[in-house]
mmCIF file of all heavy atoms in Angstrom:
data_model
loop_
_atom_site.group_PDB
_atom_site.id
_atom_site.type_symbol
_atom_site.label_atom_id
_atom_site.label_comp_id
_atom_site.label_asym_id
_atom_site.label_seq_id
_atom_site.Cartn_x
_atom_site.Cartn_y
_atom_site.Cartn_z
ATOM 1 N N ARG A 350 -18.674 16.166 -0.690
ATOM 2 C CA ARG A 350 -17.419 15.380 -0.545
ATOM 3 C C ARG A 350 -17.497 14.201 -1.529
ATOM 4 O O ARG A 350 -18.460 13.595 -1.691
ATOM 5 C CB ARG A 350 -17.443 14.767 0.929
ATOM 6 C CG ARG A 350 -17.186 15.809 1.901
ATOM 7 C CD ARG A 350 -17.060 15.301 3.353
ATOM 8 N NE ARG A 350 -16.595 16.248 4.293
ATOM 9 C CZ ARG A 350 -17.422 17.280 4.767
ATOM 10 N NH1 ARG A 350 -18.591 17.376 4.395
ATOM 11 N NH2 ARG A 350 -16.839 18.253 5.604
ATOM 12 N N VAL A 351 -16.317 13.963 -2.047
ATOM 13 C CA VAL A 351 -16.109 12.845 -2.888
ATOM 14 C C VAL A 351 -14.904 12.114 -2.353
ATOM 15 O O VAL A 351 -13.884 12.568 -2.220
ATOM 16 C CB VAL A 351 -15.718 13.090 -4.374
ATOM 17 C CG1 VAL A 351 -15.540 11.863 -5.159
ATOM 18 C CG2 VAL A 351 -16.780 14.040 -4.981
ATOM 19 N N ARG A 352 -15.160 10.930 -1.863
ATOM 20 C CA ARG A 352 -14.106 10.045 -1.182
ATOM 21 C C ARG A 352 -13.803 8.820 -2.314
ATOM 22 O O ARG A 352 -14.741 8.017 -2.573
ATOM 23 C CB ARG A 352 -14.626 9.444 0.174
ATOM 24 C CG ARG A 352 -13.560 8.736 0.844
ATOM 25 C CD ARG A 352 -14.268 8.263 2.179
ATOM 26 N NE ARG A 352 -13.585 7.273 2.898
ATOM 27 C CZ ARG A 352 -12.664 7.579 3.871
ATOM 28 N NH1 ARG A 352 -12.536 8.902 4.144
ATOM 29 N NH2 ARG A 352 -12.062 6.667 4.573
ATOM 30 N N TYR A 353 -12.547 8.674 -2.553
ATOM 31 C CA TYR A 353 -12.051 7.586 -3.347
ATOM 32 C C TYR A 353 -11.313 6.573 -2.378
ATOM 33 O O TYR A 353 -10.368 7.141 -1.792
ATOM 34 C CB TYR A 353 -11.134 8.068 -4.470
ATOM 35 C CG TYR A 353 -11.636 8.873 -5.518
ATOM 36 C CD1 TYR A 353 -11.411 10.277 -5.638
ATOM 37 C CD2 TYR A 353 -12.667 8.378 -6.456
ATOM 38 C CE1 TYR A 353 -11.940 10.977 -6.667
ATOM 39 C CE2 TYR A 353 -13.295 9.102 -7.378
ATOM 40 C CZ TYR A 353 -12.941 10.451 -7.529
ATOM 41 O OH TYR A 353 -13.570 11.206 -8.437
ATOM 42 N N THR A 354 -11.621 5.409 -2.431
ATOM 43 C CA THR A 354 -10.906 4.403 -1.600
ATOM 44 C C THR A 354 -10.358 3.248 -2.463
ATOM 45 O O THR A 354 -11.123 2.670 -3.331
ATOM 46 C CB THR A 354 -11.816 3.775 -0.599
ATOM 47 O OG1 THR A 354 -12.499 4.856 0.162
ATOM 48 C CG2 THR A 354 -11.090 2.906 0.508
ATOM 49 N N VAL A 355 -9.078 2.964 -2.210
ATOM 50 C CA VAL A 355 -8.508 1.825 -2.990
ATOM 51 C C VAL A 355 -8.185 0.720 -2.006
ATOM 52 O O VAL A 355 -7.496 0.908 -1.056
ATOM 53 C CB VAL A 355 -7.267 2.255 -3.684
ATOM 54 C CG1 VAL A 355 -6.466 1.095 -4.270
ATOM 55 C CG2 VAL A 355 -7.571 3.278 -4.820
ATOM 56 N N ASP A 356 -8.794 -0.486 -2.325
ATOM 57 C CA ASP A 356 -8.770 -1.588 -1.316
ATOM 58 C C ASP A 356 -8.630 -2.796 -1.966
ATOM 59 O O ASP A 356 -9.548 -3.224 -2.715
ATOM 60 C CB ASP A 356 -9.945 -1.477 -0.388
ATOM 61 C CG ASP A 356 -9.823 -2.538 0.761
ATOM 62 O OD1 ASP A 356 -8.762 -3.150 0.930
ATOM 63 O OD2 ASP A 356 -10.873 -2.761 1.352
ATOM 64 N N GLY A 357 -7.456 -3.496 -2.044
ATOM 65 C CA GLY A 357 -7.275 -4.695 -2.870
ATOM 66 C C GLY A 357 -7.532 -4.422 -4.250
ATOM 67 O O GLY A 357 -7.039 -3.549 -4.904
ATOM 68 N N ASN A 358 -8.542 -5.285 -4.813
ATOM 69 C CA ASN A 358 -8.877 -4.966 -6.271
ATOM 70 C C ASN A 358 -9.972 -4.047 -6.567
ATOM 71 O O ASN A 358 -10.672 -4.250 -7.610
ATOM 72 C CB ASN A 358 -9.061 -6.399 -6.932
ATOM 73 C CG ASN A 358 -10.231 -7.157 -6.305
ATOM 74 O OD1 ASN A 358 -10.669 -6.790 -5.181
ATOM 75 N ND2 ASN A 358 -10.814 -8.112 -6.915
ATOM 76 N N ARG A 359 -10.318 -3.199 -5.458
ATOM 77 C CA ARG A 359 -11.579 -2.410 -5.580
ATOM 78 C C ARG A 359 -11.186 -1.020 -5.478
ATOM 79 O O ARG A 359 -10.377 -0.505 -4.601
ATOM 80 C CB ARG A 359 -12.504 -2.703 -4.420
ATOM 81 C CG ARG A 359 -13.095 -4.153 -4.565
ATOM 82 C CD ARG A 359 -13.911 -4.512 -3.431
ATOM 83 N NE ARG A 359 -14.978 -5.393 -3.758
ATOM 84 C CZ ARG A 359 -16.240 -5.311 -3.302
ATOM 85 N NH1 ARG A 359 -16.619 -4.384 -2.429
ATOM 86 N NH2 ARG A 359 -17.087 -6.110 -3.857
ATOM 87 N N LEU A 360 -11.917 -0.209 -6.341
ATOM 88 C CA LEU A 360 -11.932 1.319 -6.165
ATOM 89 C C LEU A 360 -13.270 1.743 -5.759
ATOM 90 O O LEU A 360 -14.372 1.491 -6.522
ATOM 91 C CB LEU A 360 -11.474 1.928 -7.504
ATOM 92 C CG LEU A 360 -11.903 3.448 -7.685
ATOM 93 C CD1 LEU A 360 -11.097 4.329 -6.615
ATOM 94 C CD2 LEU A 360 -11.539 3.953 -9.069
ATOM 95 N N ALA A 361 -13.591 2.355 -4.744
ATOM 96 C CA ALA A 361 -14.808 2.804 -4.116
ATOM 97 C C ALA A 361 -14.875 4.279 -4.301
ATOM 98 O O ALA A 361 -13.929 4.998 -4.078
ATOM 99 C CB ALA A 361 -15.155 2.404 -2.791
ATOM 100 N N VAL A 362 -16.022 4.786 -4.957
ATOM 101 C CA VAL A 362 -16.367 6.210 -5.066
ATOM 102 C C VAL A 362 -17.559 6.487 -4.281
ATOM 103 O O VAL A 362 -18.702 5.906 -4.536
ATOM 104 C CB VAL A 362 -16.560 6.556 -6.563
ATOM 105 C CG1 VAL A 362 -16.702 8.047 -6.730
ATOM 106 C CG2 VAL A 362 -15.441 6.017 -7.414
#
Side-chain angles (χ1 to χ4, degrees):
R350 288 179 173 81
V351 180
R352 181 181 171 93
Y353 293 113
T354 307
V355 169
D356 184 12
N358 60 344
R359 293 174 148 221
L360 163 64
V362 184

